[in-house]
Amino acid sequence: MLTLTSNRAMDRLAEFVPPPHTRGPLTLQSFTQDLLPPLICYFVTAVLVLTPKSFPVRLALLPISLWSAFRASTRLDLTAGYGDERLLYLNQGLVLAMTILATRVVIWTFQTEPYRRLKTPWNPTAIDPSRLDGSLGPKQTVVDAGDLIFNLRGLGWNWSHGLHIPPETRPTSSRSAFLSVAFLDFLFWMFLWDTFHYSVQWFSPLTIGSPTGGTIFDAAMPPLQRYLRSSVITLLSGATVYCAITAVYLFFTICGVLIFRHDPLQWPPIFHAPWFATSLNDFWSRRWHQIFRDSFVSFGGKPLFLLFGRAGGVLGAFLVSGILHDFGTWGMGNGGDFRCIAGFFVINGIGMILEHTWKRITGSPVGGYFGKLWTLLWLVGWGNMLADAWARKGLIGSVFFPDNIRPTRNIFGPLS
């Protein structure tokens, strides 16, 4: 019943959304008319959330911010002019960015006290957060707003509570040594990203390995073999996502430290060895990336916590995560799949609630070898429907490296 209601709601929403074929290319005109307005609103709201007594202005700006983000998501096609359907993931990235922008703007609008930066090794002159008298000054406010709009995890801010920072293993006392290690790591994870992606596409180059898409479930196989095959594809797809996020984050790490002269401590690792997770709570709260944690908790977790308690808070955060990922998939132009994509994340929230129930009944938390097996089976088992949705929508058929320089293509040959 919940799935049917959700699908009907998405269908009604689709009636107000321009169809994908009406999107236009990114030009100077479309940039200024469609993409620049939400970015300006985002920055202005960041300035306002640092400014005391700015709630009325933030509230007045909110509808403009949300409308401009919606307009950018539905009017621009970043692949127009390239003639390659394998680049549709760029539109997925656009919609994901606009959705996160919208959630952060909403959160900032209803913030009761101004945000403040904390004193850190890279920001030793920060004003004490307890001083909320507007003494930052215009220049410092603009500087802090610039950090806020890019600082998704909230490192060095008073609004980032309960954030787990993975331990640093790279040399941070020397910028050149840090950059050297980061660059080698970047090359390594780029190669692994392409290798895992190639291995997933290899299973069926003409279906799941193409932008037209196809299911990961081979109906010609017996059930046991069918789901073993789909689970291997799911596991490799998860590894692809992990490597892709790591490589992209390392790219921005290098840019931040090399170009913008950030302190290496501002760029701690993004993951904490998720393969060592001993429970779903350990996986999602500590070992998986925490980039959107504040958006999920503030936008979905806290409101439902007030209504339904801890279970509501957990499910609310995962529901917002599922909606974000479904919106991103929809952005590719082939429709979304709320049941499979959002369902995967909600099911993981249910799994975390089951772990809490187990601890309450037995007095012992989920952990050890049993916890590792439970976590793997839950993630991969339910992950089948997420990987299948991505495969059917053509995401696995994307191209992230030009064919002539793709490492795996040059080593193993073309998939077709």
Side-chain angles (χ1 to χ4, degrees):
M1 180 64 70
L2 178 61
T3 299
L4 181 61
T5 302
S6 300
N7 287 337
R8 287 176 177 173
M10 296 298 287
D11 290 339
R12 293 193 188 98
L13 178 62
E15 296 176 1
F16 300 96
V17 179
H21 71 269
T22 62
R23 301 175 188 174
L26 181 63
T27 63
L28 180 60
Q29 181 178 359
S30 63
F31 172 80
T32 56
Q33 292 182 351
D34 300 323
L35 189 56
L36 188 59
L39 299 179
I40 293 176
C41 291
Y42 184 46
F43 179 76
V44 171
T45 307
V47 171
L48 292 172
V49 78
L50 303 175
T51 307
K53 301 179 182 179
S54 63
F55 173 70
V57 183
R58 282 179 274 151
L59 189 61
L61 183 61
L62 179 61
I64 302 174
S65 302
L66 296 180
W67 170 249
S68 62
F70 172 80
R71 181 183 173 93
S73 300
T74 57
R75 289 177 61 89
L76 290 175
D77 180 3
L78 300 184
T79 68
Y82 292 100
D84 192 341
E85 290 182 304
R86 297 177 300 171
L87 297 174
L88 285 174
Y89 67 88
L90 295 175
N91 291 330
Q92 178 195 36
L94 172 65
V95 176
L96 285 173
M98 289 298 111
T99 304
I100 286 296
L101 182 151
T103 58
R104 298 195 87 195
V105 164
V106 172
I107 294 167
W108 295 347
T109 296
F110 296 98
Q111 175 64 24
T112 56
E113 298 291 346
Y115 286 154
R116 287 292 183 265
R117 297 178 73 177
L118 303 173
K119 290 184 178 180
T120 59
W122 62 86
N123 188 30
T125 60
I127 295 176
D128 191 322
S130 63
R131 293 178 58 188
L132 303 178
D133 55 0
S135 56
L136 284 178
K139 181 179 179 180
Q140 189 60 46
T141 298
V142 171
V143 171
D144 286 358
D147 184 87
L148 178 61
I149 61 177
F150 293 109
N151 196 335
L152 299 179
R153 285 191 286 183
L155 295 171
W157 285 87
N158 65 338
W159 51 267
S160 183
H161 303 292
L163 178 67
H164 173 73
I165 304 299
E168 182 63 84
T169 59
R170 297 164 297 188
T172 56
S173 58
S174 168
R175 182 176 273 106
S176 59
F178 178 86
L179 285 171
S180 298
V181 174
F183 182 71
L184 291 176
D185 286 347
F186 170 70
L187 295 179
F188 172 75
W189 289 111
M190 285 280 284
F191 179 76
L192 277 190
W193 173 11
D194 185 50
T195 301
F196 282 121
H197 186 213
Y198 183 95
S199 68
V200 175
Q201 293 178 322
W202 172 85
F203 278 88
S204 184
L206 299 180
T207 57
I208 65 176
S210 73
T212 56
T215 180
I216 65 174
F217 302 109
D218 189 342
M221 289 183 171
L224 182 60
Q225 290 176 283
R226 181 191 314 157
Y227 289 105
L228 179 61
R229 174 182 182 269
S230 65
S231 295
V232 171
I233 293 174
T234 298
L235 189 60
L236 291 172
S237 298
T240 304
V241 172
Y242 173 87
C243 295
I245 294 175
T246 302
V248 172
Y249 179 76
L250 283 168
F251 172 78
F252 284 111
T253 297
I254 294 170
C255 291
V257 176
L258 180 64
I259 300 175
F260 297 102
R261 310 302 292 173
H262 288 173
D263 190 295
L265 292 173
Q266 292 179 255
W267 293 92
I270 193 170
F271 289 105
H272 187 183
W275 46 87
F276 288 136
T278 57
S279 67
L280 292 173
N281 184 73
D282 182 33
F283 181 87
W284 291 111
S285 301
R286 297 179 64 251
R287 298 191 177 275
W288 197 247
H289 76 79
Q290 306 290 295
I291 297 177
F292 305 131
R293 179 184 181 277
D294 180 70
S295 294
F296 297 158
V297 172
S298 298
F299 200 78
K302 290 181 180 178
L304 290 190
F305 175 83
L306 295 176
L307 295 175
F308 305 108
R310 183 182 184 278
V314 172
L315 290 179
F318 276 95
L319 177 61
V320 173
S321 176
I323 292 173
L324 168 74
H325 286 84
D326 188 49
F327 278 1
T329 304
W330 170 87
M332 294 178 63
N334 298 321
D337 191 335
F338 186 86
R339 179 180 66 87
C340 290
I341 298 175
F344 166 77
F345 292 96
V346 173
I347 284 291
N348 272 274
I350 293 174
M352 291 181 65
I353 294 172
L354 292 175
E355 289 184 352
H356 178 72
T357 303
W358 170 272
K359 181 180 179 181
R360 188 173 56 186
I361 294 174
T362 66
S364 301
V366 175
Y369 290 108
F370 167 77
K372 290 182 178 181
L373 180 61
W374 148 265
T375 303
L376 178 65
L377 292 177
W378 192 270
L379 289 172
V380 176
W382 291 109
N384 271 255
M385 62 184 187
L386 176 63
D388 185 58
W390 282 344
R392 287 185 284 103
K393 299 302 178 181
L395 179 59
I396 293 178
S398 300
V399 57
F400 301 105
F401 302 87
D403 290 334
N404 59 333
I405 62 170
R406 185 178 184 181
T408 50
R409 178 185 172 92
N410 291 325
I411 296 173
F412 304 110
L415 285 162
S416 59

